[in-house]
Amino acid sequence: MGTKRVAVITGANGGLGYAIACRLLDSIPSSVPLTIVITARHLRKAVETISRLRAYAKGRDLLTFDYVLLDLTSVSSINEVSNQLLSRYTHIDYLFCNAGGGDFTGIDWPGAFVEILSGPLNALTHPHFKVERCGRISRDSLGWVFQMNVFANYFLMKQISTLLSGGGRVILISSIESRIAHEFNPEDIQLTHSDQPYVDSKKSLELLHTAIAKRWADELGVLIYITHPGICHTSIMAEYLNFLTTFGMLCLFYIARWIGSPWHVVSPYNGALAPVWAAVNAVPEADPVEGVTYASASDRLGRCYVKRTDDVTDEDRKNAAILLEELDKLVQDSLERVRLESS
């Protein structure tokens, strides 16, 4: 019997998060005691997810589940979840920072049609036709998308760093769409003036990784990997698609894969390969945490593998330092906000 392991997966109630939980169950031997802590915004979703995972792992005796209710757009919620984890556990082996979202308002269908006809592979890999709302602010007076996708992850990591220290692994999940992000703007760190805050937030998440990966590894013994799931079918744009457009999208994904795209892994389970591999199988001596993104990829026949990309520049490192300074200030401001609310 192996040493008990504890994994926390944010946003595990569907899509990539649920697939990460399933792939984790398939990657860790059943002889190893394992606790999976899922986060969800609502109790019903948490209970349903645990029920589904129990059925998936039927017959696995050394498996337990736990949940916490987490709202990434509320610093009070993040702080409360941190306190719950600190009170329940002495160590966390894996933290998958999967939850997040975008403030999408629709799809520019004429633009999508033109873009796909002009360059189908590029359009299906780096689409510009998803329409995002600009300027949404959270209840904490932060950029809404920035808070969900960047700040909330850092705040949670900081709050439970003692549980991660000495061997814990944090898996940050970016997106291949970060390749079309705007240049980092120190005057708009919270992305409230960006017309594509979701895309830009994923680039900011990569900058955060650049800023802290080596420091946390050296000072805390925490390995932080940045990964992305390739391109797979999730529910992030589901409200703007119907049966026919969803079917058409999946057909285009398979076509893109067949004509040579390594990124169209199609299913969330395939997309979960790189995040789970980084948590369970990556070897620090051979798989460095700094300056590398590990992505889920696939060959033409759908055989998946982890693809490594090295694309951190000196400019990225400079911008990463600026971002980290702002994030540390926001952490202090948030802790003060929580203190005042509880007094």
Side-chain angles (χ1 to χ4, degrees), residues 18 22 25 48-60 63 65:
Y18 181 77
C22 292
L25 287 167
E48 288 176 354
T49 301
I50 290 175
S51 178
R52 290 169 63 199
L53 289 172
R54 285 191 191 281
Y56 184 87
K58 188 175 181 180
R60 186 162 178 155
L63 174 66
F65 290 99

Side-chain angles (χ1 to χ4, degrees), residues 9-19 38-42 44-46 48-50 52-53 98-99 235:
I9 306 173
T10 67
N13 54 284
L16 183 64
Y18 181 77
I38 70 159
T39 82
R41 293 187 63 182
H42 305 291
R44 177 182 59 82
K45 288 186 176 182
E48 288 176 354
T49 301
I50 290 175
R52 290 169 63 199
L53 289 172
N98 164 73
S235 61

Side-chain angles (χ1 to χ4, degrees), residues 111-178:
F113 184 75
V114 171
E115 197 173 328
I116 291 172
L117 285 181
S118 301
L121 197 55
N122 187 63
L124 293 169
T125 307
H126 303 114
H128 291 82
F129 45 79
K130 297 176 183 178
V131 183
E132 300 186 52
R133 182 182 288 111
C134 177
R136 186 173 179 181
I137 303 297
S138 75
R139 74 192 76 175
D140 297 314
S141 302
L142 301 174
W144 191 75
V145 176
F146 166 82
Q147 178 167 346
M148 277 198 301
N149 294 343
V150 185
F151 176 67
N153 289 324
Y154 184 59
F155 189 28
L156 178 62
M157 290 163 56
K158 289 272 285 187
Q159 292 299 91
I160 65 170
S161 60
T162 56
L163 298 180
L164 296 163
S165 64
R169 297 191 180 196
V170 177
I171 312 302
L172 301 177
I173 298 178
S174 183
S175 167
I176 195 170
E177 292 185 41
S178 70

Side-chain angles (χ1 to χ4, degrees), residues 74-87:
S74 166
V75 295
S76 296
S77 174
I78 301 167
N79 189 69
E80 173 61 26
V81 163
S82 301
N83 289 334
Q84 290 176 19
L85 293 174
L86 286 165
S87 67

